[in-house]
Amino acid sequence: MFSGSDCCGRSRALAFSLILAAGSLVTAGPCDIYASGGTPCVAAHSTTRALYSAFSGALYQVRRASDGATTDIRPRAAGGVADAAAQDTFCAGTTCLISVLYDQSGTGNHLTQAPPGGFQGPEANGYDNLAAAGGAPVTLNGQKAYGIFVSPGTGYRNNNAKGIAVRDEPEGMYAVLDGTHYNDGCCFDYGNAETSARDTGNGHMETIYFGDNTVWGRGAGSGPWIMADLENGLFSGASPKTNTGDPSVSYRFLTAVVKGGANKWAIRGANAASGGLSTYYNGARPNAAGYNPMSKEGAIVLGIGGDNSVGAQGTFYEGVMTTGYPSDATEDAVQADVVAAGYAIAPLTSGPALSVRSSVSLRATTAGYTTRYLAHSGATVNTQVVSSSSATALKQQASWMVRTGLAAASGGQCFSFEARDAPGSYLRHYNFELTVANSDGSKQFREDATFCTQVGLSGGQDTSSIRAWGYPTRYLRHYNNVGYAASNGGVHTFDAAGSFTDDATWAVATGFA
Ligand code: AHR
Ligand code: AHR
Ligand code: AHR
């Protein structure tokens, strides 16, 4: 439909993204655009929307903890936004995980729970964790949808993918990510990786990477950066170490592009909510042995490194892989389509409101424990029996000052709980145990000390469940009267499914002190 590498112009891109079908104007999806450019999608993944104008099949599958049942979430209409309401109904009163991310391209390249590789995932069988279904709410042109919130330990993979570039074959990819959710762990990747889930050498991967890892390479400033994971290196350009043309980017909605062909590759990026793509690198393969020619293997990873390194975090909304090296003009048209999709933030909290600067108490609601409140004694967090006639010291230990969520990436939407009797000390999780500690100001502390409230899982009136911002599968829970950030049916003893929803449901009231 349009030719060659002549570029670019938003008007041309927009014109290109509109096709006339049966007398009505239909917006082409990203994969319609790639196909028209001669570089069709061979994998197309999104929990938020259809990536073809005609796609009305399953976008993803969720599995709920209460009975292990699964359901597929589809677009509300062909080419449209995911039916988030169907997920909300299916998951009400329990917890849900995203169990399958379907491939819309027809190639069958679905992504499922990543198996063990060079590194073992955190599940008992070495598999990675699945993402919480409700961890990354957004709206697209006002319609609610959910992204995939990848906490460290979470990963999806397909080691038997079909049609993905191998060896030095050309390919392109883009992904829409949360540019404020990242870390320096290895490696928040989306794209082409080893079929063995093991590090088989330089040039055996080609993925989008996003984060501020500096072990291998870096861009300008302090990050985060879009880089390419080419195995045994995150590359920002020709130099294995640095490319000052690769800027730090932290748009709340970020479009990241990586493409690679015979001794050429490129990194591009944009604000996914407005404007066009900029090129951060476009040139020869890195100056290091093993990357020219490439030895791509054609498996697909999301949220992890090629060898199943699971230390990274990030949020994925949509992304594709193509066969052939897309032109810049094709990618510009895809970016225009992404902007037109209208990504915007959605509330991270629900249920009874919490007032910042108020003192609250959190009462257990599990039958037999309803006189107990979440309390701390020094660093230890447990539940204690507290009443209006308790000693002042105990009342203070069971009272928490509500603060705006310390994690920058929570966007001021969630909360932190400061100990009433120890100003500057906050409730946080560490190794998924709750503790109270002085803030060291670090990004890790602030994220570990941020919690998001939602309607109580067990459904009691005026109750809340309170999930860890950085691990939305994990909730404040008492277990043997000790405080944890626990997941429903996870690998730790304190993750036990029995009475989980009750143990993770709290009656929030005015603080004792
Ligand atoms: O290239 C960076 C990482 O190095 C890869 O993702 C992983 O396979 C290896 O540990
Ligand atoms: O609580 C889980 C993790 O344990 C925290 O995020 C981290 O600080 C610690 O390693
Ligand atoms: O925390 C008290 C109880 O301990 C919880 O209700 C139960 O899950 C565990 O046995």
Side-chain angles (χ1 to χ4, degrees):
M1 197 181 279
F2 72 79
S3 58
S5 56
D6 62 330
C7 193
C8 294
R10 186 135 187 275
S11 54
R12 183 180 178 87
L14 280 175
F16 175 70
S17 70
L18 300 172
I19 55 174
L20 217 49
S24 65
L25 219 45
V26 175
T27 305
C31 287
D32 302 312
I33 296 168
Y34 278 112
S36 296
T39 51
C41 295
V42 283
H45 300 119
S46 178
T47 51
T48 63
R49 65 174 183 140
L51 300 175
Y52 294 83
S53 62
F55 187 80
S56 58
L59 299 170
Y60 63 106
Q61 182 194 71
V62 295
R63 189 172 72 219
R64 66 184 174 204
S66 52
D67 59 359
T70 60
T71 195
D72 286 343
I73 306 299
R74 295 163 193 278
R76 302 201 314 184
V81 175
D83 185 1
Q87 174 182 313
D88 291 343
T89 301
F90 184 77
C91 300
T94 183
T95 56
C96 270
L97 301 171
I98 296 172
S99 38
V100 183
L101 180 54
Y102 292 110
D103 172 19
Q104 302 175 31
S105 78
T107 322
N109 288 330
H110 313 309
L111 299 180
T112 55
Q113 187 173 23
F119 287 90
Q120 301 278 304
E123 289 290 328
N125 57 8
Y127 275 66
D128 295 357
N129 285 323
L130 295 168
V138 288
T139 59
L140 278 74
N141 288 328
Q143 295 177 31
K144 188 176 177 190
Y146 292 102
I148 300 184
F149 190 103
V150 171
S151 309
T154 305
Y156 294 82
R157 191 167 192 127
N158 185 332
N159 283 336
N160 296 300
K162 306 283 183 288
I164 304 296
V166 295
R167 298 179 297 277
D168 210 28
E169 291 172 358
E171 65 177 344
M173 54 200 106
Y174 87 93
V176 177
L177 310 172
D178 178 344
T180 68
H181 182 210
Y182 61 89
N183 71 2
D184 62 2
C186 176
C187 293
F188 183 70
D189 290 346
Y190 173 70
N192 193 329
E194 291 96 337
T195 54
S196 60
R198 284 175 169 74
D199 178 352
T200 49
N202 297 1
H204 284 246
M205 297 177 67
E206 184 167 76
T207 75
I208 293 166
Y209 163 82
F210 181 68
D212 64 347
N213 183 299
T214 56
V215 169
W216 294 279
R218 61 182 300 157
S222 55
W225 305 282
I226 303 167
M227 296 194 278
D229 189 343
L230 304 179
E231 189 51 277
N232 298 313
L234 304 176
F235 293 90
S236 57
S239 157
K241 291 288 173 209
T242 186
N243 166 20
T244 54
D246 190 21
S248 298
V249 281
S250 51
Y251 300 114
R252 174 62 180 77
F253 297 102
L254 172 71
T255 306
V257 170
V258 167
K259 54 184 165 181
N263 197 22
K264 64 175 180 182
W265 67 289
I267 301 175
R268 309 182 75 204
N271 181 343
S274 70
L277 284 163
S278 299
T279 299
Y280 301 154
Y281 179 75
N282 179 14
R285 289 291 185 181
N287 302 318
Y291 301 101
N292 184 29
M294 294 286 285
S295 307
K296 290 177 260 193
E297 297 189 19
I300 306 173
V301 289
L302 172 58
I304 49 177
D307 59 5
N308 196 44
S309 294
V310 288
Q313 65 185 26
T315 297
F316 177 93
Y317 300 107
E318 61 178 71
V320 310
M321 301 174 68
T322 71
T323 180
Y325 194 84
S327 69
D328 284 1
T330 297
E331 290 163 351
D332 294 340
V334 169
Q335 163 66 7
D337 177 85
V338 168
V339 170
Y343 275 94
I345 59 167
L348 281 172
T349 59
S350 66
L354 277 190
S355 298
V356 170
R357 289 184 296 278
S358 69
S359 169
V360 295
S361 61
L362 301 173
R363 185 175 58 76
T365 63
T366 310
Y369 299 91
T370 55
T371 56
R372 305 186 75 97
Y373 290 78
L374 192 73
H376 81 106
S377 174
T380 303
V381 175
N382 52 25
T383 59
Q384 297 284 341
V385 177
V386 190
S387 71
S388 54
S389 50
S390 295
T392 303
L394 180 58
K395 285 180 174 173
Q396 290 188 344
Q397 289 171 354
S399 300
W400 306 91
M401 287 300 290
V402 179
R403 303 295 182 196
T404 300
L406 294 172
S410 70
Q413 287 209 58
C414 297
F415 303 101
S416 292
F417 297 95
E418 189 177 15
R420 190 74 182 96
D421 56 357
S425 289
Y426 293 85
L427 182 69
R428 73 169 291 184
H429 58 88
Y430 191 86
N431 291 336
F432 307 122
E433 295 171 7
L434 295 181
T435 179
V436 165
N438 242 307
S439 173
D440 62 10
S442 67
K443 179 169 174 284
Q444 187 70 63
F445 183 96
R446 286 184 274 121
E447 293 183 355
D448 292 345
T450 298
F451 300 91
C452 307
T453 50
Q454 63 186 60
V455 176
L457 286 169
S458 69
Q461 223 193 343
D462 296 328
T463 63
S464 295
S465 289
I466 306 172
R467 63 182 190 277
W469 171 82
Y471 289 85
T473 57
R474 297 188 165 274
Y475 291 80
L476 296 190
R477 187 232 182 126
H478 60 92
Y479 187 83
N480 292 341
N481 301 327
V482 176
Y484 297 97
S487 69
N488 194 354
V491 294
H492 303 94
T493 307
F494 55 77
D495 294 329
S499 76
F500 181 91
T501 51
D502 289 342
D503 295 349
T505 298
W506 303 87
V508 183
T510 303
F512 287 103

